[in-house]
Amino acid sequence: MVKSLAISLIALIIMKNPNMSVIGLSVLTILSMGATSVAMGGVELNGLYTTDFVMGLMVTLTLFVAILSYLSSVKIHRKASFNLMIISISLILVMSFSVSSFFLFFFFFESVLAPLLLLIVGWGYQPERLQAGGYMVIYTVFGSLFFLWGVSELYISGLSSSMSSVVSLVKKSGMSLWWLYILGFLIKLPMYPFHLWLPKAHVEAPVAGSMLLAGVVLKLGGYGLLRFMMVMQMSLSSVFFVLLLVVNLAGGVYAGLACVRQVDLKCLVAYSSVAHMSLVLLGVLSNTVLGVVGAIIIMIGHGLCSSGLFSYVNAIYKMSHSRLLVMNKGGLLVCPSLVLMCFLLSSSNMAAPPSLNLLGEILVFGVGGWMSGVFLLILGLMSFISACFSLYLYGSCCHGKGVSHSESLNLSSVCDVFVLAAHWMPLNFMFMFMP
C-alpha cells in the first residue's frame, strides 16, 4: 500500500512538472526493485494487491522500459501531453501487475488501451494510424470479453475472484470452456492467427508506443495467462489443448518465415515478437515448473530485446527518414557505434549466450521435448529461423553500400547509443542476480 501511495504521489509531481519525468520514473524503478527483492514469498495485501517475484519483475520491466522510451523520444512535439500518456500507460501497467483480483486485472487490462490508442493516434507517423488503433481495440476488447465471462462464472458459482484463494477450489471443479476464456490473453500475447493487429499498431505508433507495446503491454497476455492457469485444470491429452499447441508452434514457424521476407524494419521486429511469444505460450501451457520459469525468463528477455530493437529502428529512421531495408544499408560506414549495438541486440534476439533468451529457451526446449519429440523438432526449426531473421536484420542494415544520409552524424546522438546499451546490459547480465 505504501508503494502505491508513493507511485501516485510521484505521478502527480510528474504531471505538474513534465521535466521531472525521467527522475520520477527512475525513483519508481528503484521502488519496484526493492519490492522485487522482498517479494520472494508472495504476500497479498488487503485483498487488492499482491506481491511476489513475478509481479516485482514485471513492474520493474514496466518502469525501466518507460524510462528508456522517454529518452528515445526527446525531440517530440506536444511534450507535456506526451509525458502524460507515458505516465498513464506506466501507472496502469503497474496496477495491472499488482492487483490480486481477476476483476481488477480485467479493468486495468482494458484501461491500458485508452492512453495507448491516444499515443498512436496523436503521435503516429502515417494517416493509417487511426485504422491501426481501431484494429488493436477491436481485437483485444473482443477477446477480453470471454475472459470477463470466465471470471464472472467463478463469481456466480460462489467462488472468489482472487488469484490466490480460488486455486484449490477451481481445480476441483474444473472449467470446461478454459480454451475460450483465455482467448483475450492469446490475442494480447499475441498468438497466431490473432496477431494481425500487432504489425499495424507497431508501424503506425511512435517509438515510445512501440517500445512500451512490445516491451510490456504484450506481457500482459503472458502474465494474465500465467495467473489464470493457476486456477484451471485441463487434460494434456484433450483435443483443444493439443490443437492449441500445434497451432501455436506452427504459427511461430510461420511468423519467423514472415520475418525473413519483410522489407519494413518495424514489421520485421513486430513479427519476431509473434515468433518469440509462441515459446512463452508453450512454457505456460505446459503447466510445469521449468516451463513456467522458462516462459517468465523469455518474457523479460524479449521485453528488453524487442524494445531495444525498436529503439534502434528509430535511431536509423532519424538518419534516413525511411524504415525500408534497402534505404538503410551501409550503417557500418555511417555510425559504427549503432552498428555495434545492433549486433549485440541481434545476437541476443537469436538467444546467443549469455542472454536471458538463451536460458529461457533451454528450459522451454526441455519441456517441449518432454511433451513430444515432434515439438522438440519444431522448436529447433524455430530457433534456426530466429537466427536467420536476426542475421538478416543485422546484415541488411549494417553492411553493403549505404545510401547517403546528409544528417546522419548529427542525428545519431549519444542518447540513442546509451538507450541501446541500457537495454543490452540487463538482458545479458541479469541472470547473475536471479535467485
Side-chain angles (χ1 to χ4, degrees):
M1 194 66 183
V2 175
K3 187 185 73 173
S4 301
L5 293 176
I7 291 174
S8 303
L9 180 60
I10 294 174
L12 291 175
I13 295 174
I14 293 173
M15 292 176 186
K16 292 291 184 179
N17 187 2
N19 295 325
M20 298 292 290
S21 297
V22 174
I23 299 176
L25 286 172
S26 301
V27 174
L28 292 180
T29 303
I30 294 173
L31 287 175
S32 64
M33 288 180 177
T36 305
S37 62
V38 301
M40 302 296 295
V43 178
E44 188 171 351
L45 306 176
N46 298 329
L48 296 177
Y49 303 98
T50 183
T51 59
D52 57 18
F53 186 61
V54 179
M55 168 264 178
L57 282 177
M58 291 301 172
V59 170
T60 304
L61 177 66
T62 300
L63 299 176
F64 186 71
V65 173
I67 293 173
L68 297 181
S69 65
Y70 178 84
L71 293 177
S72 298
S73 310
V74 175
K75 298 178 181 179
I76 198 167
H77 59 285
R78 301 197 301 273
K79 192 69 175 179
S81 301
F82 178 82
N83 291 342
L84 179 61
M85 292 299 104
I86 297 295
I87 295 299
S88 300
I89 294 174
S90 302
L91 290 179
I92 293 174
L93 288 171
V94 168
M95 296 304 297
S96 300
F97 293 127
S98 302
V99 295
S100 62
S101 169
F102 279 120
F103 279 115
L104 288 177
F105 179 76
F106 170 79
F107 174 76
F108 291 112
F109 185 83
E110 293 301 310
S111 298
V112 75
L113 292 176
L116 192 59
L117 178 63
L118 292 177
L119 191 65
I120 294 175
V121 174
W123 288 269
Y125 294 120
Q126 300 175 8
E128 291 83 4
R129 58 185 181 272
L130 187 60
Q131 181 187 24
Y135 265 74
M136 179 184 69
V137 171
I138 292 174
Y139 264 82
T140 54
V141 170
F142 172 77
S144 300
L145 292 177
F146 296 102
F147 168 60
L148 181 61
W149 177 19
V151 177
S152 300
E153 183 180 337
L154 289 178
Y155 189 77
I156 294 173
S157 302
L159 303 177
S160 171
S161 64
S162 174
M163 295 181 180
S164 58
S165 61
V166 297
V167 175
S168 58
L169 296 176
V170 179
K171 281 191 174 181
K172 291 180 181 179
S173 62
M175 299 178 72
S176 57
L177 296 178
W178 61 267
W179 53 272
L180 187 61
Y181 299 151
I182 65 175
L183 183 61
F185 301 135
L186 301 181
I187 293 176
K188 184 80 81 174
L189 199 59
M191 167 194 165
Y192 178 88
F194 309 116
H195 67 287
L196 299 178
W197 64 273
L198 185 64
K200 289 181 175 292
H202 274 308
V203 168
E204 305 302 330
V207 58
S210 295
M211 293 173 66
L212 285 170
L213 182 60
V216 188
V217 176
L218 300 187
K219 308 305 175 289
L220 278 176
Y223 179 82
L225 186 62
L226 178 65
R227 296 297 189 189
F228 207 53
M229 286 291 294
M230 295 173 60
V231 304
M232 290 189 300
Q233 181 175 347
M234 63 185 70
S235 174
L236 298 182
S237 60
S238 65
V239 176
F240 290 114
F241 182 81
V242 175
L243 181 62
L244 184 61
L245 288 182
V246 171
V247 173
N248 171 54
L249 293 178
V253 173
Y254 168 77
L257 293 174
C259 287
V260 182
R261 60 181 297 273
Q262 291 299 317
V263 295
D264 188 298
L265 287 170
K266 270 198 167 183
C267 283
L268 195 157
V269 181
Y271 274 102
S272 70
S273 297
V274 180
H276 284 103
M277 288 299 102
S278 62
L279 299 177
V280 173
L281 184 58
L282 175 63
V284 174
L285 290 180
S286 68
N287 211 17
T288 61
V289 175
L290 290 181
V292 170
V293 172
I296 294 171
I297 293 175
I298 292 178
M299 281 196 292
I300 300 298
H302 174 266
L304 294 169
C305 189
S306 62
S307 176
L309 288 174
F310 277 115
S311 180
Y312 170 74
V313 171
N314 176 68
I316 61 177
Y317 176 80
K318 291 190 295 185
M319 294 190 287
S320 64
H321 303 288
S322 174
R323 296 191 308 269
L324 297 178
L325 285 171
V326 295
M327 298 297 294
N328 290 286
K329 291 181 177 295
L332 192 60
L333 302 174
V334 179
C335 188
S337 57
L338 283 179
V339 170
L340 173 62
M341 298 313 305
C342 177
F343 171 75
L344 294 175
L345 289 172
S346 298
S347 62
S348 298
N349 195 44
M350 60 175 150
S355 68
L356 289 176
N357 291 330
L358 176 64
L359 178 59
E361 288 190 13
I362 289 175
L363 297 176
V364 172
F365 277 33
V367 171
W370 168 75
M371 297 175 69
S372 173
V374 178
F375 287 175
L376 186 60
L377 293 177
I378 298 176
L379 289 172
L381 178 61
M382 290 175 58
S383 180
F384 173 75
I385 296 175
S386 175
C388 289
F389 65 70
S390 298
L391 291 174
Y392 172 64
L393 171 64
Y394 169 72
S396 300
C397 294
C398 303
H399 294 277
K401 184 178 180 180
V403 182
S404 59
H405 306 306
S406 58
E407 301 175 291
S408 58
L409 294 179
N410 294 329
L411 290 177
S412 59
S413 63
V414 178
C415 184
D416 293 323
V417 179
F418 170 77
V419 169
L420 295 175
H423 282 96
W424 182 79
M425 292 289 286
L427 177 61
N428 287 270
F429 297 106
M430 186 184 293
F431 72 94
M432 300 172 60
F433 306 99
M434 297 186 68

